[in-house]
Amino acid sequence: MVYQSNMTVQSVELLSRVIKAVCAEFDITIDEISKNKKVTRYASKEAVFTSYARTIAMSLLSKHFKQQDVANLMNCTNHSTVSSAKRRAELLVDINPLIRDKFNNITKKLRS
């Protein structure tokens, strides 16, 4: 996840906190969350969970950064992927109680 920009120290710290909180909650590594993999209906449970983690991370990061910056940070093809992730994250939180709990835990960690 290497990206060059004119980010402030506070921005880098926020980015780090969000990524670490998501990785800790979903029990994945930073390397796994930065990989842009296609999930098919034959994907493993781990691949789907990693996809959910990326979606949640992009949604949280897009609240504080420009969509293009988030796309670059998360190795996405363009900013529309981040826009889609925001919508998917809202749907996941609404319909999936496990993801809702994880999302709430992440936001609590970020507030403290």
Side-chain angles (χ1 to χ4, degrees):
M1 216 172 2
V2 177
Y3 171 66
Q4 299 288 331
S5 78
N6 297 326
M7 295 178 75
T8 64
V9 173
Q10 293 84 6
S11 296
V12 172
E13 288 173 357
L14 176 63
L15 170 68
S16 175
R17 285 183 62 217
V18 169
I19 296 297
K20 286 179 182 178
V22 172
C23 287
E25 190 63 35
F26 281 89
D27 195 29
I28 60 174
T29 65
I30 292 174
D31 189 43
E32 290 173 321
I33 202 169
S34 66
K35 291 181 181 172
N36 189 7
K37 289 188 176 181
K38 204 69 148 157
V39 176
T40 66
R41 63 181 169 168
Y42 304 110
S44 67
K45 181 180 176 181
E46 292 81 19
V48 172
F49 242 49
T50 302
S51 173
Y52 289 168
R54 279 180 59 83
T55 299
I56 296 298
M58 283 190 266
S59 175
L60 291 170
L61 289 171
S62 68
K63 294 179 182 178
H64 303 284
F65 299 98
K66 294 178 184 176
Q67 287 186 355
Q68 186 60 50
D69 291 339
V70 175
N72 290 336
L73 290 165
M74 298 297 288
N75 297 326
C76 300
T77 52
N78 58 42
H79 71 283
S80 65
T81 307
V82 178
S83 181
S84 298
K86 286 172 53 178
R87 287 191 304 275
R88 275 195 320 272
E90 290 172 6
L91 288 172
L92 281 171
V93 168
D94 285 344
I95 64 173
N96 191 328
L98 177 64
I99 301 300
R100 183 181 315 122
D101 290 343
K102 290 188 176 294
F103 183 80
N104 290 337
N105 290 341
I106 292 166
T107 54
K108 284 178 190 173
K109 286 180 188 176
L110 294 174
R111 284 189 199 130
S112 59

